[in-house]
Amino acid sequence: MNTVRSFHARPLVRTLCALALAGAIVIPATAQPGAPGQQGPGGFPGGAPGGPGGFPGGAPGGQRGGARGGQAAQPPGPPAPVPAVVAMARPTEAELAQLNAAVKQFVATNPIATKYQSLITVTPPRAVNPAASFSRSGVRNDARHNPFVETAKAGDVDILFHGDSITDWWQQGGAQGGKEVFDKHFAGMKIANFAIAGDTTQGLLWGLVNGEGRNGETPVKMQPKAIMLMIGTNNTGGSTGPEIAEGVGAVVAELQRDFPSAKILLLAIFPRGAGPTDANRLKNDEANKIIAKLHDGKKVFFMDIGSKFLDDKGAFLPGLFRGDNLHPAAPGYEVWAQAVKDKLVELTR
C-alpha cells in the first residue's frame, strides 16, 4: 500500500482498487484491527496482521484433523523483527483518517456504494501480526521441542530442515512418506529435521528463541552450513498472504541471527488444493511472490519448485501428492529431493 498523501475525486476508484490489491482491505466494518503489541526481543518493532492457521476438523499445520484440533487461538507473543522487503506499509493515524474521509466522499457520490455503505471501510494492518510473533504453538510441545534443544546444544549438524508436516514427514516411511527417498538421496549427510507437523511461522519463531536457535542472546552450539526452510501453509486459516509473508520473513531474519554462517534455501510454499483457484493456494501464491524478495544470492536463496508437482491446468500430477491435495506422497518427495539436493550440497561448501 502506498503512503496516502492526497486524494482527488476523479481517480478515487482507481486509488481504492490499488489499495485493495496492495494490502488495504475493503471489508465489513465489523472487522477490527488487532491491539498493539509490545516490543520483541532486541527491541525490534513488530509486524502486521495475521493469525494462527487452521484446517477444517482440526490442526493448523500441514495436516487435517490433527495435532491442534480444537485448540483455541492464543494471543500473539512479542512481535518479531520483519525484514523491510517483506513488511507491509502501515498508514499513520492521520493518513488513515484521510483515506476513510476519501472513502466516505466516494460513497456519498456513488449510488451502489451508498446502498452498501455499511459494508465499506478501510482497515489497516493490525499493529501486531501473530504470524510474525514469538508464540508457542500447541504442536511444539515438550515432546518435540526438548529433543531439538538437545540436538542444538550438541551441534555437529551440517544441514537443518525447518517447516511443518510437509517437511516433518520426510521421516515417515512407506508409500505416503519420504523416509525411503530421504535415505536414498541424503544418507550420510549430517541433517537435523526440526520441522513439526501442524506448526506455523510463529511457533517456529518461538522454538528458535527458546533453545532451538539461541538461549537468551547466545547462539547454540549447532551452526549448520545450510538450512532448508518452507513454512506458512498452516497460517492460511487466519492470515492474509502479506501477513504470511511477514511471518516467513521474520523466520528468515531469526535464522540469520541464530546461524549467521548458514545459507538459507527458502522454498516457496507448496501448492495445495484441487486446482489453481483454491483459496488457500491463492493466499500462499501471494505470499510466495512477496518472500521471493528475500533472495539475495549470498545468504538467502529462494526456490519455487511448485510447478514440478502440477499439470498445465494447475492440478497435481497423479501420484505425487496424497488425496488431501496438501502433502507429498513418496513420489512427490522424490521430485522434491531431485530439485534441491544439488543446491543443498552447493550451499554446504
Side-chain angles (χ1 to χ4, degrees), residues 95-285:
E95 289 170 337
L96 184 62
Q98 186 179 10
L99 178 56
N100 275 310
V103 172
K104 184 176 181 180
Q105 179 184 357
F106 168 73
V107 169
T109 58
N110 186 292
I112 189 68
T114 300
K115 180 178 180 181
Y116 295 107
Q117 61 181 313
S118 63
L119 301 178
I120 301 174
T121 187
V122 177
T123 303
R126 289 175 288 179
V128 176
N129 176 3
S133 67
F134 299 98
S135 306
R136 189 174 194 177
S137 57
V139 296
R140 195 166 288 270
N141 51 45
D142 287 349
R144 297 303 305 271
H145 170 64
N146 290 346
F148 295 160
V149 172
E150 294 306 311
T151 298
K153 288 179 180 177
D156 198 27
V157 171
D158 288 338
I159 300 175
L160 180 62
F161 287 3
H162 258 304
D164 47 46
S165 59
I166 297 171
T167 300
D168 189 1
W169 292 350
W170 274 107
Q171 303 171 101
Q172 277 193 357
Q176 297 296 300
K179 185 178 187 304
E180 286 74 18
V181 177
F182 181 92
D183 293 342
K184 172 184 174 182
H185 290 280
F186 301 114
M189 298 183 182
K190 296 179 179 179
I191 297 177
N193 189 340
F194 280 17
I196 296 180
D199 215 358
T200 54
T201 53
Q202 57 265 44
L204 199 164
L205 284 164
W206 181 91
L208 286 170
V209 299
N210 283 277
E212 297 176 25
R214 56 186 166 103
N215 291 303
E217 298 301 308
T218 305
V220 295
K221 184 176 180 179
M222 178 183 70
Q223 289 296 314
K225 299 174 183 177
I227 300 169
M228 183 170 71
L229 170 68
M230 180 174 56
I231 191 71
T233 201
N234 299 328
N235 291 84
T236 55
S239 301
T240 66
E243 294 163 1
I244 295 169
E246 280 201 337
V248 175
V251 170
V252 170
E254 185 59 43
L255 288 170
Q256 290 182 305
R257 175 178 179 174
D258 298 349
F259 309 114
S261 62
K263 294 178 180 178
I264 300 172
L265 179 59
L266 174 61
L267 297 181
I269 304 168
F270 282 177
R272 58 181 296 178
T277 60
D278 177 84
N280 288 326
R281 185 187 297 193
L282 291 172
K283 195 175 290 189
N284 286 341
D285 288 346

Side-chain angles (χ1 to χ4, degrees), residues 21-111:
L21 290 171
I25 307 168
V26 180
I27 57 174
T30 53
Q32 300 294 324
Q38 64 250 86
Q39 285 191 326
F44 291 89
F55 294 103
Q63 58 186 356
R64 294 177 186 265
R68 285 181 65 188
Q71 176 176 311
Q74 299 298 313
V82 174
V85 293
V86 298
M88 290 183 286
R90 288 169 172 78
T92 65
E93 290 187 9
E95 289 170 337
L96 184 62
Q98 186 179 10
L99 178 56
N100 275 310
V103 172
K104 184 176 181 180
Q105 179 184 357
F106 168 73
V107 169
T109 58
N110 186 292

